[in-house]
Amino acid sequence: MPRRLRMMTRRRFLDQMGRASACLAYAGALPLGIGGCAMTVPFAPFERTGSGLSLPLAAFDGTDGVLLEVPDRPAPVYVHRDGSGQFTAVLTLCTHQGCTAVPQGPRIVCPCHGSTYASDGTVLQGPAEQSLFRYPVRIEGERIRIELNPAEDV
Ligand code: FES
């Protein structure tokens, strides 16, 4: 077998192994724990309010991050609270080639080629070069409001 063909085969194998392990991690993020994995990041209910989303601060009881399944967005929105109580919201659509990235601890990891982002969407490791799309977030009383701009993230 030509050397170049062997290298392509190994690369493809490693790529597929990465996808498989990340799929298991993503299954673990689903609310029902599909695949027998423990739940890591719960999906939270929210309300659409005008051009944004609203969810109660109580959604963060017992967790520092929640996922929002927004019907007209290509991937879940990940809302994270950092150690100082600041909230960020990012679209989990990987900026490399558009796979859905998965929150894993303090990072968001893409299962397709391994791009890794901080919880605020900043790229920590490529191949992605651009940060995840970030939404403005503000606190209104006991609720969190996330502004969606339909022209920018889809
Ligand atoms: Fe996410 Fe390639 S699509 S790293």
mmCIF file of all heavy atoms in Angstrom, residues 24-79:
data_model
loop_
_atom_site.group_PDB
_atom_site.id
_atom_site.type_symbol
_atom_site.label_atom_id
_atom_site.label_comp_id
_atom_site.label_asym_id
_atom_site.label_seq_id
_atom_site.Cartn_x
_atom_site.Cartn_y
_atom_site.Cartn_z
ATOM 1 N N LEU A 24 -20.879 10.235 21.951
ATOM 2 C CA LEU A 24 -21.222 9.740 23.272
ATOM 3 C C LEU A 24 -21.310 10.888 24.256
ATOM 4 O O LEU A 24 -22.202 10.941 25.094
ATOM 5 C CB LEU A 24 -20.190 8.719 23.751
ATOM 6 C CG LEU A 24 -20.256 7.373 23.051
ATOM 7 C CD1 LEU A 24 -19.088 6.501 23.489
ATOM 8 C CD2 LEU A 24 -21.573 6.676 23.334
ATOM 9 N N ALA A 25 -20.388 11.833 24.138
ATOM 10 C CA ALA A 25 -20.430 12.991 25.034
ATOM 11 C C ALA A 25 -21.698 13.792 24.794
ATOM 12 O O ALA A 25 -22.337 14.264 25.722
ATOM 13 C CB ALA A 25 -19.195 13.864 24.817
ATOM 14 N N TYR A 26 -22.107 13.951 23.511
ATOM 15 C CA TYR A 26 -23.308 14.708 23.217
ATOM 16 C C TYR A 26 -24.531 13.981 23.759
ATOM 17 O O TYR A 26 -25.424 14.597 24.327
ATOM 18 C CB TYR A 26 -23.455 14.948 21.713
ATOM 19 C CG TYR A 26 -24.621 15.828 21.393
ATOM 20 C CD1 TYR A 26 -24.623 17.165 21.783
ATOM 21 C CD2 TYR A 26 -25.727 15.344 20.723
ATOM 22 C CE1 TYR A 26 -25.685 17.991 21.515
ATOM 23 C CE2 TYR A 26 -26.800 16.167 20.445
ATOM 24 C CZ TYR A 26 -26.767 17.488 20.834
ATOM 25 O OH TYR A 26 -27.837 18.290 20.564
ATOM 26 N N ALA A 27 -24.563 12.665 23.592
ATOM 27 C CA ALA A 27 -25.688 11.909 24.124
ATOM 28 C C ALA A 27 -25.804 12.135 25.626
ATOM 29 O O ALA A 27 -26.897 12.220 26.169
ATOM 30 C CB ALA A 27 -25.526 10.423 23.818
ATOM 31 N N GLY A 28 -24.667 12.284 26.275
ATOM 32 C CA GLY A 28 -24.693 12.532 27.707
ATOM 33 C C GLY A 28 -25.264 13.893 28.056
ATOM 34 O O GLY A 28 -25.701 14.122 29.171
ATOM 35 N N ALA A 29 -25.285 14.821 27.082
ATOM 36 C CA ALA A 29 -25.829 16.142 27.345
ATOM 37 C C ALA A 29 -27.338 16.182 27.175
ATOM 38 O O ALA A 29 -27.973 17.150 27.542
ATOM 39 C CB ALA A 29 -25.180 17.164 26.398
ATOM 40 N N LEU A 30 -27.913 15.144 26.580
ATOM 41 C CA LEU A 30 -29.350 15.136 26.363
ATOM 42 C C LEU A 30 -30.067 14.889 27.677
ATOM 43 O O LEU A 30 -29.557 14.204 28.563
ATOM 44 C CB LEU A 30 -29.719 14.061 25.331
ATOM 45 C CG LEU A 30 -29.152 14.314 23.939
ATOM 46 C CD1 LEU A 30 -29.420 13.115 23.042
ATOM 47 C CD2 LEU A 30 -29.742 15.566 23.332
ATOM 48 N N PRO A 31 -31.278 15.432 27.815
ATOM 49 C CA PRO A 31 -31.958 15.343 29.108
ATOM 50 C C PRO A 31 -32.303 13.929 29.523
ATOM 51 O O PRO A 31 -32.433 13.649 30.696
ATOM 52 C CB PRO A 31 -33.226 16.187 28.886
ATOM 53 C CG PRO A 31 -33.369 16.332 27.429
ATOM 54 C CD PRO A 31 -32.013 16.207 26.835
ATOM 55 N N LEU A 32 -32.442 13.009 28.579
ATOM 56 C CA LEU A 32 -32.814 11.654 28.943
ATOM 57 C C LEU A 32 -31.611 10.753 29.137
ATOM 58 O O LEU A 32 -31.751 9.585 29.453
ATOM 59 C CB LEU A 32 -33.739 11.057 27.866
ATOM 60 C CG LEU A 32 -35.059 11.806 27.688
ATOM 61 C CD1 LEU A 32 -35.865 11.175 26.562
ATOM 62 C CD2 LEU A 32 -35.866 11.783 28.983
ATOM 63 N N GLY A 33 -30.407 11.272 28.931
ATOM 64 C CA GLY A 33 -29.222 10.458 29.120
ATOM 65 C C GLY A 33 -29.145 9.326 28.112
ATOM 66 O O GLY A 33 -28.799 8.203 28.449
ATOM 67 N N ILE A 34 -29.446 9.600 26.867
ATOM 68 C CA ILE A 34 -29.415 8.569 25.836
ATOM 69 C C ILE A 34 -28.040 7.921 25.787
ATOM 70 O O ILE A 34 -27.024 8.593 25.886
ATOM 71 C CB ILE A 34 -29.784 9.179 24.464
ATOM 72 C CG1 ILE A 34 -31.235 9.637 24.506
ATOM 73 C CG2 ILE A 34 -29.528 8.201 23.336
ATOM 74 C CD1 ILE A 34 -31.658 10.441 23.294
ATOM 75 N N GLY A 35 -28.028 6.622 25.637
ATOM 76 C CA GLY A 35 -26.766 5.912 25.547
ATOM 77 C C GLY A 35 -26.214 5.547 26.909
ATOM 78 O O GLY A 35 -25.110 5.048 27.024
ATOM 79 N N GLY A 36 -26.983 5.770 27.936
ATOM 80 C CA GLY A 36 -26.546 5.387 29.263
ATOM 81 C C GLY A 36 -25.547 6.338 29.888
ATOM 82 O O GLY A 36 -25.025 6.067 30.948
ATOM 83 N N CYS A 37 -25.270 7.474 29.246
ATOM 84 C CA CYS A 37 -24.323 8.437 29.799
ATOM 85 C C CYS A 37 -25.011 9.293 30.856
ATOM 86 O O CYS A 37 -26.203 9.548 30.797
ATOM 87 C CB CYS A 37 -23.803 9.348 28.692
ATOM 88 S SG CYS A 37 -22.952 8.453 27.385
ATOM 89 N N ALA A 38 -24.261 9.751 31.794
ATOM 90 C CA ALA A 38 -24.813 10.638 32.810
ATOM 91 C C ALA A 38 -25.093 12.003 32.180
ATOM 92 O O ALA A 38 -24.378 12.452 31.304
ATOM 93 C CB ALA A 38 -23.831 10.784 33.960
ATOM 94 N N MET A 39 -26.136 12.660 32.629
ATOM 95 C CA MET A 39 -26.489 13.979 32.127
ATOM 96 C C MET A 39 -25.453 14.989 32.591
ATOM 97 O O MET A 39 -25.065 15.012 33.740
ATOM 98 C CB MET A 39 -27.867 14.359 32.650
ATOM 99 C CG MET A 39 -28.348 15.699 32.142
ATOM 100 S SD MET A 39 -30.032 16.050 32.651
ATOM 101 C CE MET A 39 -29.806 16.246 34.403
ATOM 102 N N THR A 40 -24.967 15.839 31.675
ATOM 103 C CA THR A 40 -23.994 16.839 32.050
ATOM 104 C C THR A 40 -24.569 18.249 31.966
ATOM 105 O O THR A 40 -24.443 19.013 32.892
ATOM 106 C CB THR A 40 -22.743 16.744 31.176
ATOM 107 O OG1 THR A 40 -23.138 16.827 29.804
ATOM 108 C CG2 THR A 40 -22.019 15.435 31.410
ATOM 109 N N VAL A 41 -25.167 18.616 30.840
ATOM 110 C CA VAL A 41 -25.751 19.942 30.685
ATOM 111 C C VAL A 41 -27.226 19.768 30.339
ATOM 112 O O VAL A 41 -27.551 19.201 29.297
ATOM 113 C CB VAL A 41 -25.032 20.745 29.582
ATOM 114 C CG1 VAL A 41 -25.702 22.093 29.384
ATOM 115 C CG2 VAL A 41 -23.564 20.920 29.940
ATOM 116 N N PRO A 42 -28.120 20.263 31.191
ATOM 117 C CA PRO A 42 -29.546 20.066 30.921
ATOM 118 C C PRO A 42 -30.079 21.056 29.887
ATOM 119 O O PRO A 42 -29.553 22.156 29.744
ATOM 120 C CB PRO A 42 -30.187 20.318 32.279
ATOM 121 C CG PRO A 42 -29.256 21.275 32.955
ATOM 122 C CD PRO A 42 -27.871 20.916 32.469
ATOM 123 N N PHE A 43 -31.100 20.641 29.175
ATOM 124 C CA PHE A 43 -31.865 21.578 28.365
ATOM 125 C C PHE A 43 -32.853 22.267 29.294
ATOM 126 O O PHE A 43 -33.412 21.641 30.201
ATOM 127 C CB PHE A 43 -32.612 20.840 27.244
ATOM 128 C CG PHE A 43 -31.727 20.497 26.085
ATOM 129 C CD1 PHE A 43 -31.033 19.298 26.052
ATOM 130 C CD2 PHE A 43 -31.590 21.371 25.019
ATOM 131 C CE1 PHE A 43 -30.216 18.976 24.980
ATOM 132 C CE2 PHE A 43 -30.769 21.061 23.940
ATOM 133 C CZ PHE A 43 -30.081 19.855 23.925
ATOM 134 N N ALA A 44 -33.067 23.557 29.095
ATOM 135 C CA ALA A 44 -33.963 24.327 29.954
ATOM 136 C C ALA A 44 -35.121 24.890 29.134
ATOM 137 O O ALA A 44 -34.930 25.282 27.972
ATOM 138 C CB ALA A 44 -33.199 25.472 30.619
ATOM 139 N N PRO A 45 -36.316 24.984 29.740
ATOM 140 C CA PRO A 45 -37.423 25.646 29.059
ATOM 141 C C PRO A 45 -37.207 27.164 29.057
ATOM 142 O O PRO A 45 -36.514 27.693 29.930
ATOM 143 C CB PRO A 45 -38.637 25.254 29.911
ATOM 144 C CG PRO A 45 -38.088 24.948 31.249
ATOM 145 C CD PRO A 45 -36.687 24.445 31.037
ATOM 146 N N PHE A 46 -37.776 27.824 28.078
ATOM 147 C CA PHE A 46 -37.630 29.283 27.963
ATOM 148 C C PHE A 46 -38.859 29.830 27.263
ATOM 149 O O PHE A 46 -39.677 29.086 26.730
ATOM 150 C CB PHE A 46 -36.356 29.631 27.170
ATOM 151 C CG PHE A 46 -36.363 29.077 25.769
ATOM 152 C CD1 PHE A 46 -36.892 29.797 24.707
ATOM 153 C CD2 PHE A 46 -35.867 27.808 25.519
ATOM 154 C CE1 PHE A 46 -36.912 29.274 23.426
ATOM 155 C CE2 PHE A 46 -35.882 27.273 24.238
ATOM 156 C CZ PHE A 46 -36.407 28.015 23.194
ATOM 157 N N GLU A 47 -38.991 31.149 27.283
ATOM 158 C CA GLU A 47 -40.079 31.832 26.582
ATOM 159 C C GLU A 47 -39.484 32.705 25.493
ATOM 160 O O GLU A 47 -38.408 33.268 25.664
ATOM 161 C CB GLU A 47 -40.863 32.728 27.551
ATOM 162 C CG GLU A 47 -41.547 31.978 28.664
ATOM 163 C CD GLU A 47 -42.164 32.925 29.692
ATOM 164 O OE1 GLU A 47 -42.231 34.146 29.440
ATOM 165 O OE2 GLU A 47 -42.562 32.416 30.750
ATOM 166 N N ARG A 48 -40.189 32.804 24.377
ATOM 167 C CA ARG A 48 -39.810 33.781 23.338
ATOM 168 C C ARG A 48 -40.484 35.073 23.712
ATOM 169 O O ARG A 48 -41.679 35.111 23.961
ATOM 170 C CB ARG A 48 -40.307 33.353 21.955
ATOM 171 C CG ARG A 48 -39.712 32.105 21.407
ATOM 172 C CD ARG A 48 -38.465 32.125 20.686
ATOM 173 N NE ARG A 48 -38.022 33.078 19.733
ATOM 174 C CZ ARG A 48 -37.448 32.723 18.597
ATOM 175 N NH1 ARG A 48 -37.418 31.471 18.227
ATOM 176 N NH2 ARG A 48 -36.927 33.629 17.812
ATOM 177 N N THR A 49 -39.726 36.140 23.753
ATOM 178 C CA THR A 49 -40.309 37.442 24.078
ATOM 179 C C THR A 49 -39.788 38.447 23.060
ATOM 180 O O THR A 49 -38.644 38.881 23.144
ATOM 181 C CB THR A 49 -39.928 37.885 25.498
ATOM 182 O OG1 THR A 49 -38.514 37.867 25.610
ATOM 183 C CG2 THR A 49 -40.517 36.966 26.550
ATOM 184 N N GLY A 50 -40.610 38.790 22.100
ATOM 185 C CA GLY A 50 -40.186 39.716 21.067
ATOM 186 C C GLY A 50 -39.009 39.157 20.300
ATOM 187 O O GLY A 50 -39.080 38.063 19.751
ATOM 188 N N SER A 51 -37.897 39.882 20.307
ATOM 189 C CA SER A 51 -36.722 39.449 19.559
ATOM 190 C C SER A 51 -35.764 38.628 20.411
ATOM 191 O O SER A 51 -34.625 38.397 20.004
ATOM 192 C CB SER A 51 -35.973 40.672 19.033
ATOM 193 O OG SER A 51 -35.540 41.461 20.128
ATOM 194 N N GLY A 52 -36.222 38.164 21.562
ATOM 195 C CA GLY A 52 -35.298 37.445 22.421
ATOM 196 C C GLY A 52 -35.897 36.243 23.096
ATOM 197 O O GLY A 52 -36.998 35.796 22.779
ATOM 198 N N LEU A 53 -35.117 35.724 24.018
ATOM 199 C CA LEU A 53 -35.506 34.581 24.833
ATOM 200 C C LEU A 53 -35.436 35.007 26.291
ATOM 201 O O LEU A 53 -34.621 35.852 26.661
ATOM 202 C CB LEU A 53 -34.543 33.408 24.618
ATOM 203 C CG LEU A 53 -34.255 32.980 23.196
ATOM 204 C CD1 LEU A 53 -33.163 31.911 23.195
ATOM 205 C CD2 LEU A 53 -35.511 32.469 22.528
ATOM 206 N N SER A 54 -36.261 34.384 27.103
ATOM 207 C CA SER A 54 -36.256 34.686 28.527
ATOM 208 C C SER A 54 -36.371 33.390 29.302
ATOM 209 O O SER A 54 -37.169 32.512 28.947
ATOM 210 C CB SER A 54 -37.437 35.618 28.852
ATOM 211 O OG SER A 54 -37.524 35.844 30.245
ATOM 212 N N LEU A 55 -35.546 33.259 30.326
ATOM 213 C CA LEU A 55 -35.642 32.094 31.192
ATOM 214 C C LEU A 55 -35.348 32.505 32.625
ATOM 215 O O LEU A 55 -34.658 33.507 32.866
ATOM 216 C CB LEU A 55 -34.712 30.962 30.747
ATOM 217 C CG LEU A 55 -33.206 31.153 30.837
ATOM 218 C CD1 LEU A 55 -32.529 29.795 30.931
ATOM 219 C CD2 LEU A 55 -32.705 31.862 29.602
ATOM 220 N N PRO A 56 -35.885 31.788 33.585
ATOM 221 C CA PRO A 56 -35.682 32.175 34.978
ATOM 222 C C PRO A 56 -34.259 31.882 35.448
ATOM 223 O O PRO A 56 -33.644 30.900 35.013
ATOM 224 C CB PRO A 56 -36.702 31.313 35.731
ATOM 225 C CG PRO A 56 -36.943 30.145 34.848
ATOM 226 C CD PRO A 56 -36.760 30.626 33.440
ATOM 227 N N LEU A 57 -33.777 32.728 36.348
ATOM 228 C CA LEU A 57 -32.465 32.461 36.956
ATOM 229 C C LEU A 57 -32.463 31.108 37.659
ATOM 230 O O LEU A 57 -31.423 30.450 37.752
ATOM 231 C CB LEU A 57 -32.129 33.563 37.971
ATOM 232 C CG LEU A 57 -31.651 34.893 37.393
ATOM 233 C CD1 LEU A 57 -31.590 35.956 38.480
ATOM 234 C CD2 LEU A 57 -30.294 34.726 36.719
ATOM 235 N N ALA A 58 -33.646 30.682 38.102
ATOM 236 C CA ALA A 58 -33.747 29.397 38.794
ATOM 237 C C ALA A 58 -33.348 28.228 37.901
ATOM 238 O O ALA A 58 -33.042 27.139 38.402
ATOM 239 C CB ALA A 58 -35.168 29.198 39.317
ATOM 240 N N ALA A 59 -33.284 28.438 36.591
ATOM 241 C CA ALA A 59 -32.836 27.371 35.683
ATOM 242 C C ALA A 59 -31.396 26.969 35.987
ATOM 243 O O ALA A 59 -30.952 25.887 35.583
ATOM 244 C CB ALA A 59 -32.972 27.817 34.228
ATOM 245 N N PHE A 60 -30.673 27.847 36.697
ATOM 246 C CA PHE A 60 -29.270 27.567 37.009
ATOM 247 C C PHE A 60 -29.077 26.995 38.404
ATOM 248 O O PHE A 60 -27.949 26.882 38.867
ATOM 249 C CB PHE A 60 -28.426 28.835 36.806
ATOM 250 C CG PHE A 60 -28.272 29.184 35.357
ATOM 251 C CD1 PHE A 60 -29.253 29.910 34.705
ATOM 252 C CD2 PHE A 60 -27.183 28.750 34.630
ATOM 253 C CE1 PHE A 60 -29.148 30.207 33.362
ATOM 254 C CE2 PHE A 60 -27.058 29.026 33.284
ATOM 255 C CZ PHE A 60 -28.047 29.761 32.652
ATOM 256 N N ASP A 61 -30.174 26.643 39.053
ATOM 257 C CA ASP A 61 -30.042 25.970 40.351
ATOM 258 C C ASP A 61 -29.376 24.619 40.125
ATOM 259 O O ASP A 61 -29.882 23.779 39.375
ATOM 260 C CB ASP A 61 -31.421 25.772 40.995
ATOM 261 C CG ASP A 61 -32.025 27.077 41.484
ATOM 262 O OD1 ASP A 61 -31.299 28.098 41.505
ATOM 263 O OD2 ASP A 61 -33.223 27.073 41.822
ATOM 264 N N GLY A 62 -28.229 24.424 40.699
ATOM 265 C CA GLY A 62 -27.539 23.148 40.581
ATOM 266 C C GLY A 62 -26.723 22.970 39.321
ATOM 267 O O GLY A 62 -26.169 21.904 39.080
ATOM 268 N N THR A 63 -26.626 24.015 38.475
ATOM 269 C CA THR A 63 -25.822 23.897 37.254
ATOM 270 C C THR A 63 -25.274 25.267 36.871
ATOM 271 O O THR A 63 -25.864 26.297 37.223
ATOM 272 C CB THR A 63 -26.649 23.310 36.086
ATOM 273 O OG1 THR A 63 -25.789 23.133 34.955
ATOM 274 C CG2 THR A 63 -27.803 24.230 35.704
ATOM 275 N N ASP A 64 -24.165 25.280 36.163
ATOM 276 C CA ASP A 64 -23.602 26.534 35.671
ATOM 277 C C ASP A 64 -23.894 26.740 34.194
ATOM 278 O O ASP A 64 -23.465 27.737 33.607
ATOM 279 C CB ASP A 64 -22.081 26.563 35.885
ATOM 280 C CG ASP A 64 -21.731 26.747 37.347
ATOM 281 O OD1 ASP A 64 -22.524 27.375 38.075
ATOM 282 O OD2 ASP A 64 -20.671 26.247 37.758
ATOM 283 N N GLY A 65 -24.601 25.793 33.585
ATOM 284 C CA GLY A 65 -24.892 25.959 32.166
ATOM 285 C C GLY A 65 -26.144 25.211 31.766
ATOM 286 O O GLY A 65 -26.438 24.147 32.316
ATOM 287 N N VAL A 66 -26.879 25.796 30.826
ATOM 288 C CA VAL A 66 -28.056 25.124 30.273
ATOM 289 C C VAL A 66 -28.037 25.280 28.760
ATOM 290 O O VAL A 66 -27.443 26.220 28.212
ATOM 291 C CB VAL A 66 -29.381 25.684 30.837
ATOM 292 C CG1 VAL A 66 -29.467 25.468 32.344
ATOM 293 C CG2 VAL A 66 -29.568 27.145 30.482
ATOM 294 N N LEU A 67 -28.681 24.348 28.085
ATOM 295 C CA LEU A 67 -28.856 24.414 26.637
ATOM 296 C C LEU A 67 -30.296 24.798 26.332
ATOM 297 O O LEU A 67 -31.220 24.370 27.029
ATOM 298 C CB LEU A 67 -28.538 23.052 26.009
ATOM 299 C CG LEU A 67 -27.070 22.647 26.001
ATOM 300 C CD1 LEU A 67 -26.923 21.147 25.763
ATOM 301 C CD2 LEU A 67 -26.300 23.435 24.940
ATOM 302 N N LEU A 68 -30.474 25.603 25.289
ATOM 303 C CA LEU A 68 -31.807 26.007 24.845
ATOM 304 C C LEU A 68 -31.990 25.500 23.416
ATOM 305 O O LEU A 68 -31.167 25.818 22.540
ATOM 306 C CB LEU A 68 -31.949 27.531 24.878
ATOM 307 C CG LEU A 68 -31.569 28.228 26.194
ATOM 308 C CD1 LEU A 68 -31.725 29.737 26.035
ATOM 309 C CD2 LEU A 68 -32.404 27.699 27.350
ATOM 310 N N GLU A 69 -33.034 24.735 23.200
ATOM 311 C CA GLU A 69 -33.325 24.227 21.858
ATOM 312 C C GLU A 69 -34.265 25.228 21.192
ATOM 313 O O GLU A 69 -35.476 25.167 21.385
ATOM 314 C CB GLU A 69 -33.977 22.844 21.957
ATOM 315 C CG GLU A 69 -34.085 22.122 20.641
ATOM 316 C CD GLU A 69 -32.739 21.593 20.162
ATOM 317 O OE1 GLU A 69 -32.126 20.804 20.876
ATOM 318 O OE2 GLU A 69 -32.326 21.992 19.054
ATOM 319 N N VAL A 70 -33.706 26.147 20.436
ATOM 320 C CA VAL A 70 -34.485 27.213 19.804
ATOM 321 C C VAL A 70 -34.856 26.739 18.396
ATOM 322 O O VAL A 70 -33.957 26.477 17.588
ATOM 323 C CB VAL A 70 -33.673 28.529 19.751
ATOM 324 C CG1 VAL A 70 -34.530 29.657 19.212
ATOM 325 C CG2 VAL A 70 -33.128 28.868 21.134
ATOM 326 N N PRO A 71 -36.154 26.629 18.101
ATOM 327 C CA PRO A 71 -36.582 25.981 16.855
ATOM 328 C C PRO A 71 -35.984 26.566 15.575
ATOM 329 O O PRO A 71 -35.674 25.826 14.660
ATOM 330 C CB PRO A 71 -38.104 26.158 16.872
ATOM 331 C CG PRO A 71 -38.451 26.248 18.315
ATOM 332 C CD PRO A 71 -37.296 26.979 18.957
ATOM 333 N N ASP A 72 -35.791 27.859 15.486
ATOM 334 C CA ASP A 72 -35.285 28.428 14.238
ATOM 335 C C ASP A 72 -33.783 28.686 14.259
ATOM 336 O O ASP A 72 -33.265 29.445 13.448
ATOM 337 C CB ASP A 72 -36.049 29.697 13.876
ATOM 338 C CG ASP A 72 -35.977 30.741 14.993
ATOM 339 O OD1 ASP A 72 -35.434 30.424 16.072
ATOM 340 O OD2 ASP A 72 -36.464 31.856 14.783
ATOM 341 N N ARG A 73 -33.081 28.036 15.160
ATOM 342 C CA ARG A 73 -31.623 28.155 15.182
ATOM 343 C C ARG A 73 -31.016 26.812 14.786
ATOM 344 O O ARG A 73 -31.566 25.750 15.091
ATOM 345 C CB ARG A 73 -31.127 28.571 16.573
ATOM 346 C CG ARG A 73 -31.501 30.025 16.916
ATOM 347 C CD ARG A 73 -30.915 30.954 15.883
ATOM 348 N NE ARG A 73 -31.095 32.358 16.113
ATOM 349 C CZ ARG A 73 -32.152 33.067 15.729
ATOM 350 N NH1 ARG A 73 -33.164 32.481 15.153
ATOM 351 N NH2 ARG A 73 -32.209 34.366 15.913
ATOM 352 N N PRO A 74 -29.855 26.830 14.101
ATOM 353 C CA PRO A 74 -29.284 25.591 13.579
ATOM 354 C C PRO A 74 -28.609 24.703 14.632
ATOM 355 O O PRO A 74 -28.198 23.585 14.316
ATOM 356 C CB PRO A 74 -28.255 26.095 12.557
ATOM 357 C CG PRO A 74 -27.875 27.450 13.045
ATOM 358 C CD PRO A 74 -29.106 28.025 13.683
ATOM 359 N N ALA A 75 -28.483 25.190 15.841
ATOM 360 C CA ALA A 75 -27.865 24.412 16.922
ATOM 361 C C ALA A 75 -28.373 24.988 18.237
ATOM 362 O O ALA A 75 -28.862 26.129 18.273
ATOM 363 C CB ALA A 75 -26.335 24.517 16.839
ATOM 364 N N PRO A 76 -28.265 24.229 19.316
ATOM 365 C CA PRO A 76 -28.697 24.771 20.608
ATOM 366 C C PRO A 76 -27.885 26.005 21.019
ATOM 367 O O PRO A 76 -26.729 26.177 20.636
ATOM 368 C CB PRO A 76 -28.445 23.612 21.579
ATOM 369 C CG PRO A 76 -28.475 22.392 20.731
ATOM 370 C CD PRO A 76 -27.887 22.811 19.411
ATOM 371 N N VAL A 77 -28.534 26.842 21.808
ATOM 372 C CA VAL A 77 -27.860 27.987 22.428
ATOM 373 C C VAL A 77 -27.400 27.532 23.808
ATOM 374 O O VAL A 77 -28.185 26.949 24.570
ATOM 375 C CB VAL A 77 -28.819 29.194 22.542
ATOM 376 C CG1 VAL A 77 -28.173 30.331 23.340
ATOM 377 C CG2 VAL A 77 -29.239 29.668 21.149
ATOM 378 N N TYR A 78 -26.133 27.773 24.115
ATOM 379 C CA TYR A 78 -25.586 27.394 25.413
ATOM 380 C C TYR A 78 -25.459 28.648 26.270
ATOM 381 O O TYR A 78 -24.778 29.609 25.889
ATOM 382 C CB TYR A 78 -24.215 26.737 25.232
ATOM 383 C CG TYR A 78 -23.541 26.342 26.520
ATOM 384 C CD1 TYR A 78 -24.192 25.547 27.454
ATOM 385 C CD2 TYR A 78 -22.249 26.758 26.798
ATOM 386 C CE1 TYR A 78 -23.572 25.175 28.641
ATOM 387 C CE2 TYR A 78 -21.609 26.384 27.971
ATOM 388 C CZ TYR A 78 -22.290 25.602 28.886
ATOM 389 O OH TYR A 78 -21.664 25.241 30.057
ATOM 390 N N VAL A 79 -26.117 28.634 27.421
ATOM 391 C CA VAL A 79 -26.061 29.764 28.353
ATOM 392 C C VAL A 79 -25.242 29.315 29.552
ATOM 393 O O VAL A 79 -25.542 28.279 30.164
ATOM 394 C CB VAL A 79 -27.474 30.196 28.802
ATOM 395 C CG1 VAL A 79 -27.394 31.479 29.623
ATOM 396 C CG2 VAL A 79 -28.389 30.379 27.599
#
